[in-house]
Amino acid sequence: MRPRTRTLQATLTLAVAGVLAAGMTVALAPAASAGTTLRASAAEKGRYFGAAVATGKLSTSAYTTVLNREFNSVTAENEMKWDATEPSQGRFSYTGGDRLVSHAQANGMGVRGHALLWHQQQPSWAQGLSGSALRSAAINHVTQVATHYRGKVYAWDVVNEAFADGGSGGRRDSNLQRTGNDWIEAAFRAARAADPGAKLCYNDYNTDGINAKSTGIYNMVRDFKSRGVPIDCVGFQSHLGTTLAGDYQANLQRFADLGVDVQITELDVMTGSNQANIYGAVTRACLAISRCTSITVWGVRDCDSWRGSDNALLFDCNGNKKAAYTSVLNALNAGGTSTPPPTSTPPPPTSTPPPTSPPPGTGGCSASVSLNTWSGGFVATVKVTAGANGTRGWTVSVALPGGSAVTNAWSATAAGSTGTVGFTNVDYNGQLAAGQVTEFGFQGTGAAPGATPTCTAS
Ligand code: 9MR
């Protein structure tokens, strides 16, 4: 075993011992002989191998059989997000998250907390706040949730996706960003105060190589370390297409060299002839870096994935192991080698186009959309702004290109899934005062919508 691996293992053993002392049942010990499951092999290397879990599926035995056998870490796919944990201001709801923690504790798994602050999946009451009211609500949220889960999560995504896509390397515009550039460090300080034992991470996507966005984040982390802002880790979501950046490992390494852990937090890879290779390359890259402490895939079986027909995960819909699984397991068992990722050209940047400008509100509202795209799918975030008369309700029409389909929507109800799709407010976000903004989102397969959506108010 290479010395650096031993060092990490010792560190993790100590960390787990500390956690156990705090009453948490987490075991990195293999659940089967090393080499036969992902969790056993990862634990041998002192790492977590995790999956995002939708707690609703924990009662499906075909799902939990694979989850419990193969993974020693879980992330709540949605249940620990702001809209789930604080549905109305100051009223906290931990049912889903607590259920996942219990499951993890009963099955010797660690828990990654995801995510304390994010511009998406905010409850509507937070979407309606700004300035100091939003800042204090956000910090209170961090404090309350991190306190509730104190001693139960090994790492938190304190802030998720705060950097812009494209070449700017700067922050993304959001209601949180508009409270002042220091909102991220304020969140990290609040999280540290609430749970000093959890590793505090910044988490983002399209950071899978040295590019403008990852460099922007790198500069922030360097600045935080130099000023003593408590940051311990950086999460690389790694929602990947059909190629992997040739400098994937080098990028992780430059962050590790700043003195933070790195974690692969939401790995999934487009189906195709390169899928297994890319999974293997990502696993090898992590193992080659002593500070790369966990790999999490964003779901268990292909049919559990937010990426729908991309078949982006390690198990097929029947729970059978795919070639990608074997590739990961072999890489884990080979362990700690510094084989460079064997891939071709870096993927073209799938940058988010700047939000399109809202059309003049015909019936008293306007809408603009920003996109996160990848080959084969997209997530759209739509901002609805009420016109001079306010709204009692609204419908936003989005024209999808032929072959594209909506697979999931939040904070709005979709009528249909192909062609021109109308998204109508849900009961809590239809009434908007003049100028008030609310947000909803949807995800889809195929090409992203290109045209500006239209908004009709009632
Ligand atoms: O997988 C999650 C999906 O169920 C939700 O509908 C979606 C809402 O935005 O969030 C998905 O998870 C996201 C994660 O929280 C942050 N990074 C991107 C993930 C995929 O969209």
Side-chain angles (χ1 to χ4, degrees):
M1 190 182 292
R2 294 158 65 86
R4 62 182 170 198
T5 306
R6 240 186 353 249
T7 310
L8 175 75
Q9 204 158 19
T11 312
L12 276 177
T13 308
L14 281 176
V16 170
V19 161
L20 285 170
M24 182 178 167
T25 329
V26 171
L28 269 181
S33 355
T36 60
T37 65
L38 302 176
R39 64 178 290 167
S41 297
E44 272 277 304
K45 302 294 183 304
R47 264 89 166 178
Y48 288 109
F49 203 97
V53 169
T55 51
K57 294 184 177 160
L58 288 175
S59 41
T60 305
S61 67
Y63 178 86
T64 45
T65 299
V66 179
L67 177 70
N68 296 348
R69 185 185 71 221
E70 298 289 346
F71 299 95
N72 63 352
S73 172
V74 286
T75 304
E77 189 171 1
N78 290 298
E79 292 79 352
M80 292 191 188
K81 292 172 180 173
W82 198 350
D83 60 349
T85 50
E86 196 179 0
S88 56
Q89 188 164 14
R91 194 173 61 75
F92 290 85
S93 165
Y94 296 115
T95 321
D98 285 356
R99 185 164 174 219
L100 184 61
V101 169
S102 306
H103 184 90
Q105 290 178 342
N107 291 282
M109 299 162 168
V111 179
R112 272 199 99 254
H114 173 84
L116 293 171
L117 292 180
W118 187 22
H119 64 280
Q120 284 186 20
Q121 286 180 283
Q122 294 183 359
S124 58
W125 63 264
Q127 292 176 34
L129 295 181
S130 60
S132 58
L134 176 60
R135 172 65 73 90
S136 28
I139 297 303
N140 182 54
H141 178 76
V142 170
T143 301
Q144 298 296 329
V145 177
T147 300
H148 177 82
Y149 287 111
R150 181 182 174 133
K152 295 178 177 164
V153 300
Y154 68 87
W156 263 116
D157 290 331
V158 178
V159 169
N160 192 42
E161 300 177 8
F163 275 72
D165 289 298
S168 76
R171 300 279 182 88
R172 167 197 298 283
D173 178 51
S174 71
N175 59 347
L176 289 163
Q177 182 61 29
R178 276 176 250 128
T179 69
N181 206 49
D182 62 344
W183 72 277
I184 298 184
E185 60 195 84
F188 274 84
R189 291 187 205 280
R192 177 70 96 229
D195 185 355
K199 297 274 190 188
L200 304 182
C201 305
Y202 175 81
N203 189 50
D204 216 325
Y205 65 91
N206 280 354
T207 51
D208 315 302
I210 297 177
N211 57 35
K213 187 173 180 181
S214 62
T215 299
I217 296 164
Y218 176 86
N219 289 335
M220 178 187 76
V221 173
R222 191 172 53 182
D223 170 54
F224 279 12
K225 293 299 279 183
S226 75
R227 290 189 295 113
V229 177
I231 186 165
D232 307 306
C233 39
V234 176
F236 298 81
Q237 293 184 10
S238 306
H239 295 295
L240 299 172
T242 51
T243 57
L244 180 67
D247 54 4
Y248 184 85
Q249 182 179 321
N251 186 47
L252 299 180
Q253 186 67 59
R254 71 173 174 153
F255 280 85
D257 291 344
L258 289 175
V260 288
D261 288 349
V262 293
Q263 302 182 343
I264 313 303
T265 52
E266 304 183 14
L267 179 61
D268 46 27
V269 182
M270 183 68 188
T271 191
S273 57
N274 219 13
Q275 185 182 53
N277 290 337
I278 293 176
Y279 264 110
V282 168
T283 307
R284 280 192 295 279
C286 179
L287 286 175
I289 296 171
S290 57
R291 293 200 77 137
C292 185
T293 54
S294 69
I295 300 175
T296 295
V297 289
W298 204 242
V300 177
R301 303 162 303 183
D302 282 340
C303 300
D304 304 317
S305 169
W306 71 302
R307 289 178 62 163
S309 58
D310 283 1
N311 292 329
L313 294 172
L314 300 176
F315 296 89
D316 71 16
C317 296
N318 295 318
N320 298 314
K321 298 167 182 174
K322 294 166 55 182
Y325 171 93
T326 310
S327 178
V328 169
L329 187 63
N330 289 344
L332 286 171
N333 286 335
T337 57
S338 48
T339 317
T343 43
S344 43
T345 41
T350 53
S351 62
T352 302
T356 49
S357 49
T362 44
C365 60
S366 60
S368 63
V369 64
S370 63
L371 296 168
N372 172 16
T373 61
W374 62 93
S375 142
F378 61 90
V379 165
T381 304
V382 184
K383 225 176 239 185
V384 178
T385 307
N389 299 328
T391 63
R392 276 171 299 161
W394 45 260
T395 297
V396 172
S397 294
V398 179
L400 294 177
S404 296
V406 171
T407 53
N408 181 24
W410 53 98
S411 307
T413 306
S417 59
T418 56
T420 297
V421 179
F423 294 88
T424 301
N425 63 276
V426 285
D427 57 4
Y428 61 78
N429 62 6
Q431 275 202 344
L432 301 174
Q436 197 181 338
V437 177
T438 191
E439 243 177 42
F440 72 90
F442 61 96
Q443 67 187 71
T445 52
T452 304
T454 56
C455 185
T456 312
S458 54

